[in-house]
Amino acid sequence: MKVLIVDDERDVEMLFRQKFRKEIKKGSLELVFAFSGAEALTILGDTNPPSVMYMFSDINMPGMSGLELLSKVKDRFPKLKVSMISAYGDKENHDKAMNSGATGFFTKPIDFDTLKREIGILLN
Amino acid sequence: MNVEIIVAIILISYLRVSTLTYDVPERWKKPLKWGFFSALTIAVLDISTLLNSEISKVLSLFLVGGVIYVILRYEELHKGKQLVYAWLPLLLLSLLFEMIEYLFPAFFNRWDDYFTSIIFFAVVWGIAIWIINNKQRKTLEKEKIKALAREQEFKATEEMKIILEQQVAERTSALTAQKEELEKALSDLNATQAQLIHAEKMASLGELTAGIAHEIQNPLNFVNNFSEVSSELLDEMCDEIQKGDMDEVLALVEDIKLNMQKISHHGKRADAIVKGMLMHSRNNPEQKSLTDINALAEEYLRLSYHGLRAKDKSFNATFRIHLDPHLPQIEVVPQDMGRVFLNLINNAFYAVNERAKKSKEEGIDGYSPTVNLSTALYSDNGKGYLVITIGDNGLGIPESIKSKIFQPFFTTKPTGEGTGLGLSLSYDIIKAHGGGLEVISDHGLNPFAPEAHSEGDKQGTVFTITLPYENTTKL
Ligand SMILES: [Mg+2]
């Protein structure tokens, strides 16, 4: 299963790769990373449905914000699951994300146990 | 009529007339009046022969004697002295001759002609003295008039002098008061300026805090996450050691090593931000130190960006950074230079955000708010310059206010949003560093950051900071 993670902080990639080390090794999970909204859209490409099954996106990014990305992605791929990850866990961000069709809303620092559970549900 | 009474009348009449050099003394006015009428009465009685000539003679003698006595005795009647000297010989001689005539009539008759001529001479003498006296008196009076005029003039001058001195004193005290007022106003202004600068500093610190919180939160998250994952990796490593899969163990060791580097990197990142914040808020005399302008500018760009993001959820912009890796460190006051970067970058983000809002209102698509930060090193005639440009494709600055933007308290932001001191302080700080701060607005000329504007879009503003670089180390 292919999961796309979008965050402007590059070290997120290393962190995720280590956290999902076993799953990646087993081959049950494939992680793809994008460091901006634009890059994420390129990765998702024009194929519908996309090869990616789940997208996790940071909200606070220069250029296109995570929320903009969310609504664009939802426009193009309504069935793609998208969850937001933000340092700002305020109601405003949360409500906006949920109204735009987000599946979940995670706050930073990421609770990987919950995240793993979320992905686990999908894997099974 | 006898000589005595005539002389008496002349003397008294003379004394009763005031001149420039003589005022009839008040206490003599009455006696002189009585004397005058007495003399007249005696004269009339004598002429009309109602009075015995001997009696009138005696009365006249007493009267004239009295008059002469008072003239010689009282200084205030000095005017009569000359007249006394003029007529005294006549008086004395006529008295002498009358006595001779009375005692020795035969002798008198024999020499009558001589006596008459002597009397005549005495009269001539009297008249001559009188004329001379009058002449002298007139000269004296002229001089007196002149003296009086001079005195008057002197008095007037003195009065004028006093008035002038008074006026000078008044003006001086008015000017002194004015000067003191101005000095007070100046010191008040200085105090206010210091307060305002401090307030501006605190305001920009306030703008920073949200950015700082975000900027610290991110590295701290990484520190926590990487240490957490490292301990997980250590658990795995234990399992692999028991299994004896040494390749896997070595791979885990590599990962853990990398994680440690990441922890250290993000720890330092948070540390630098806190230090920068402390530096920014510090109020003690600020000292120059060798500073990495690239790092400082980039740090403030991030702080500004995240600060604005935290404040306004709808805000977003792209920033591009082009840093010259060969930029040398230079001596600046880092917190001051940081404030300049913060001000200019905040303004740039503000400008692009305003344009984004406007575009949205007008339904214009395709605007991508962008802020550019670039640094470069230039040399010109052996002198080195660090050039830092902060460009934006925002609203731009209208020509009409371009000349005012560096003036203190000039702001286009709504009341309460800007102090209007940002650019003026930035300008002062750059000047204090011997550099220059210039603005180009509303056209796409940006020699140091050509990507600031998309093709065909000429709107925007570019601030260029030039800092001199003394080539003491190596270029
Ligand atoms: Mg982010």
Side-chain angles (χ1 to χ4, degrees), chain A residues 7-9 58-62 85 108, chain B residues 214 218 306:
Chain A
D7 199 309
D8 59 318
E9 293 273 2
D58 181 25
I59 289 181
N60 193 5
M61 292 184 291
I85 305 172
K108 286 184 179 178
Chain B
H214 180 269
N218 265 343
H306 291 298

PDB file of all heavy atoms in Angstrom, chain A residues 7-9 58-62 85 108, chain B residues 214 218 306, ligand 1:
ATOM      1  N   ASP A   7       5.189  17.289   3.975  1.00  0.00           N
ATOM      2  CA  ASP A   7       5.637  18.191   5.057  1.00  0.00           C
ATOM      3  C   ASP A   7       6.827  18.984   4.555  1.00  0.00           C
ATOM      4  O   ASP A   7       7.642  18.458   3.783  1.00  0.00           O
ATOM      5  CB  ASP A   7       6.031  17.380   6.303  1.00  0.00           C
ATOM      6  CG  ASP A   7       6.053  18.257   7.555  1.00  0.00           C
ATOM      7  OD1 ASP A   7       6.691  19.333   7.521  1.00  0.00           O
ATOM      8  OD2 ASP A   7       5.413  17.874   8.559  1.00  0.00           O
ATOM      9  N   ASP A   8       6.914  20.254   4.940  1.00  0.00           N
ATOM     10  CA  ASP A   8       8.044  21.061   4.475  1.00  0.00           C
ATOM     11  C   ASP A   8       9.327  20.747   5.253  1.00  0.00           C
ATOM     12  O   ASP A   8      10.402  21.181   4.848  1.00  0.00           O
ATOM     13  CB  ASP A   8       7.706  22.557   4.558  1.00  0.00           C
ATOM     14  CG  ASP A   8       7.361  22.999   5.951  1.00  0.00           C
ATOM     15  OD1 ASP A   8       6.640  22.262   6.645  1.00  0.00           O
ATOM     16  OD2 ASP A   8       7.799  24.099   6.360  1.00  0.00           O
ATOM     17  N   GLU A   9       9.196  20.052   6.366  1.00  0.00           N
ATOM     18  CA  GLU A   9      10.391  19.672   7.125  1.00  0.00           C
ATOM     19  C   GLU A   9      10.922  18.342   6.578  1.00  0.00           C
ATOM     20  O   GLU A   9      10.258  17.305   6.677  1.00  0.00           O
ATOM     21  CB  GLU A   9      10.027  19.498   8.623  1.00  0.00           C
ATOM     22  CG  GLU A   9       9.618  20.776   9.320  1.00  0.00           C
ATOM     23  CD  GLU A   9      10.801  21.550   9.888  1.00  0.00           C
ATOM     24  OE1 GLU A   9      11.955  21.105   9.714  1.00  0.00           O
ATOM     25  OE2 GLU A   9      10.547  22.598  10.507  1.00  0.00           O
ATOM     26  N   ASP A  58       0.967  17.976   6.261  1.00  0.00           N
ATOM     27  CA  ASP A  58       1.194  19.081   7.204  1.00  0.00           C
ATOM     28  C   ASP A  58       0.311  20.251   6.749  1.00  0.00           C
ATOM     29  O   ASP A  58      -0.046  20.339   5.568  1.00  0.00           O
ATOM     30  CB  ASP A  58       2.684  19.463   7.119  1.00  0.00           C
ATOM     31  CG  ASP A  58       3.057  20.584   8.062  1.00  0.00           C
ATOM     32  OD1 ASP A  58       2.374  20.764   9.085  1.00  0.00           O
ATOM     33  OD2 ASP A  58       4.061  21.292   7.762  1.00  0.00           O
ATOM     34  N   ILE A  59      -0.084  21.100   7.684  1.00  0.00           N
ATOM     35  CA  ILE A  59      -0.879  22.265   7.273  1.00  0.00           C
ATOM     36  C   ILE A  59       0.028  23.460   6.998  1.00  0.00           C
ATOM     37  O   ILE A  59      -0.074  24.132   5.973  1.00  0.00           O
ATOM     38  CB  ILE A  59      -1.942  22.616   8.341  1.00  0.00           C
ATOM     39  CG1 ILE A  59      -3.035  21.537   8.347  1.00  0.00           C
ATOM     40  CG2 ILE A  59      -2.548  24.002   8.068  1.00  0.00           C
ATOM     41  CD1 ILE A  59      -4.149  21.783   9.326  1.00  0.00           C
ATOM     42  N   ASN A  60       0.936  23.704   7.928  1.00  0.00           N
ATOM     43  CA  ASN A  60       1.756  24.914   7.866  1.00  0.00           C
ATOM     44  C   ASN A  60       2.962  24.719   6.953  1.00  0.00           C
ATOM     45  O   ASN A  60       4.001  24.235   7.371  1.00  0.00           O
ATOM     46  CB  ASN A  60       2.203  25.252   9.296  1.00  0.00           C
ATOM     47  CG  ASN A  60       2.781  26.643   9.365  1.00  0.00           C
ATOM     48  OD1 ASN A  60       2.768  27.370   8.373  1.00  0.00           O
ATOM     49  ND2 ASN A  60       3.298  27.004  10.510  1.00  0.00           N
ATOM     50  N   MET A  61       2.777  25.108   5.686  1.00  0.00           N
ATOM     51  CA  MET A  61       3.874  24.995   4.713  1.00  0.00           C
ATOM     52  C   MET A  61       3.919  26.276   3.888  1.00  0.00           C
ATOM     53  O   MET A  61       2.875  26.837   3.579  1.00  0.00           O
ATOM     54  CB  MET A  61       3.619  23.814   3.770  1.00  0.00           C
ATOM     55  CG  MET A  61       3.694  22.466   4.440  1.00  0.00           C
ATOM     56  SD  MET A  61       3.503  21.146   3.241  1.00  0.00           S
ATOM     57  CE  MET A  61       1.797  21.326   2.761  1.00  0.00           C
ATOM     58  N   PRO A  62       5.109  26.689   3.535  1.00  0.00           N
ATOM     59  CA  PRO A  62       5.174  27.866   2.657  1.00  0.00           C
ATOM     60  C   PRO A  62       4.579  27.532   1.293  1.00  0.00           C
ATOM     61  O   PRO A  62       4.570  26.377   0.890  1.00  0.00           O
ATOM     62  CB  PRO A  62       6.672  28.162   2.540  1.00  0.00           C
ATOM     63  CG  PRO A  62       7.381  27.170   3.384  1.00  0.00           C
ATOM     64  CD  PRO A  62       6.423  26.175   3.922  1.00  0.00           C
ATOM     65  N   ILE A  85      -1.896  16.801   9.526  1.00  0.00           N
ATOM     66  CA  ILE A  85      -0.990  16.789  10.690  1.00  0.00           C
ATOM     67  C   ILE A  85      -0.544  18.228  10.908  1.00  0.00           C
ATOM     68  O   ILE A  85       0.031  18.831  10.003  1.00  0.00           O
ATOM     69  CB  ILE A  85       0.258  15.919  10.426  1.00  0.00           C
ATOM     70  CG1 ILE A  85      -0.154  14.502  10.000  1.00  0.00           C
ATOM     71  CG2 ILE A  85       1.132  15.872  11.661  1.00  0.00           C
ATOM     72  CD1 ILE A  85       1.027  13.656   9.535  1.00  0.00           C
ATOM     73  N   LYS A 108       0.883  17.723  16.106  1.00  0.00           N
ATOM     74  CA  LYS A 108       2.320  17.508  16.337  1.00  0.00           C
ATOM     75  C   LYS A 108       2.603  17.791  17.809  1.00  0.00           C
ATOM     76  O   LYS A 108       2.043  18.740  18.347  1.00  0.00           O
ATOM     77  CB  LYS A 108       3.141  18.435  15.445  1.00  0.00           C
ATOM     78  CG  LYS A 108       3.168  18.011  13.986  1.00  0.00           C
ATOM     79  CD  LYS A 108       4.098  18.957  13.224  1.00  0.00           C
ATOM     80  CE  LYS A 108       4.190  18.558  11.760  1.00  0.00           C
ATOM     81  NZ  LYS A 108       5.034  19.483  10.999  1.00  0.00           N
TER      82      LYS A 108
ATOM     83  N   HIS B 214       6.457  28.487  17.154  1.00  0.00           N
ATOM     84  CA  HIS B 214       6.403  27.484  16.086  1.00  0.00           C
ATOM     85  C   HIS B 214       7.787  26.960  15.754  1.00  0.00           C
ATOM     86  O   HIS B 214       8.010  25.761  15.627  1.00  0.00           O
ATOM     87  CB  HIS B 214       5.763  28.080  14.833  1.00  0.00           C
ATOM     88  CG  HIS B 214       5.677  27.118  13.700  1.00  0.00           C
ATOM     89  ND1 HIS B 214       6.674  27.002  12.765  1.00  0.00           N
ATOM     90  CD2 HIS B 214       4.735  26.200  13.382  1.00  0.00           C
ATOM     91  CE1 HIS B 214       6.343  26.058  11.900  1.00  0.00           C
ATOM     92  NE2 HIS B 214       5.162  25.559  12.256  1.00  0.00           N
ATOM     93  N   ASN B 218       8.804  22.932  16.348  1.00  0.00           N
ATOM     94  CA  ASN B 218       9.227  21.987  15.310  1.00  0.00           C
ATOM     95  C   ASN B 218      10.507  21.238  15.693  1.00  0.00           C
ATOM     96  O   ASN B 218      10.496  20.012  15.718  1.00  0.00           O
ATOM     97  CB  ASN B 218       9.378  22.698  13.975  1.00  0.00           C
ATOM     98  CG  ASN B 218       8.112  22.576  13.145  1.00  0.00           C
ATOM     99  OD1 ASN B 218       7.273  21.709  13.423  1.00  0.00           O
ATOM    100  ND2 ASN B 218       7.962  23.429  12.154  1.00  0.00           N
ATOM    101  N   HIS B 306       6.505  32.307  10.111  1.00  0.00           N
ATOM    102  CA  HIS B 306       5.704  31.500  11.035  1.00  0.00           C
ATOM    103  C   HIS B 306       4.906  32.367  11.999  1.00  0.00           C
ATOM    104  O   HIS B 306       3.811  31.985  12.408  1.00  0.00           O
ATOM    105  CB  HIS B 306       6.597  30.523  11.784  1.00  0.00           C
ATOM    106  CG  HIS B 306       7.136  29.444  10.885  1.00  0.00           C
ATOM    107  ND1 HIS B 306       6.319  28.565  10.235  1.00  0.00           N
ATOM    108  CD2 HIS B 306       8.408  29.143  10.497  1.00  0.00           C
ATOM    109  CE1 HIS B 306       7.062  27.743   9.491  1.00  0.00           C
ATOM    110  NE2 HIS B 306       8.333  28.085   9.630  1.00  0.00           N
TER     111      HIS B 306
HETATM  112 MG    MG C   1       5.427  22.697   8.543  1.00  0.00          MG
END
